Amino acid sequence: MKKVSIINEIDDMLSTYCEGCFVKAQLRKDEGKTAAHRFCISECTVGTQLQFLGQELNKMGSKG
């Protein structure tokens, strides 16, 4: 996978699923910003996929 395609995929996922996410907004309102962030990182399937893509970018380093 090329670096640009990974970045595009991350951007698409963020704009499709994360912007305007009701769960994140509600958690942020009820429990605070940290709890919402923790949910996105550890429990959300989109967050898990974003982490995977970020790890793939890190593996590539400056090449690609």
Side-chain angles (χ1 to χ4, degrees), residues 19-64:
E19 288 179 19
C21 175
F22 175 75
V23 176
K24 180 180 176 184
Q26 193 63 40
L27 278 172
R28 191 171 185 164
K29 180 181 171 188
D30 294 343
E31 299 179 32
K33 187 174 169 181
T34 305
H37 184 72
R38 191 177 321 116
F39 169 80
C40 292
I41 290 173
S42 62
E43 297 179 43
C44 180
T45 55
V46 175
T48 305
Q49 182 65 24
L50 289 170
Q51 285 183 51
F52 171 77
L53 292 171
Q55 289 170 355
E56 292 300 307
L57 276 178
N58 283 336
K59 288 179 189 176
M60 296 179 100
S62 60
K63 64 181 178 174

Side-chain angles (χ1 to χ4, degrees), residues 4-19 50 53 57:
V4 173
S5 66
I6 294 174
I7 292 171
N8 287 336
E9 189 172 344
I10 290 171
D11 188 46
D12 289 343
M13 289 183 75
L14 286 171
S15 63
T16 303
Y17 300 108
C18 299
E19 288 179 19
L50 289 170
L53 292 171
L57 276 178

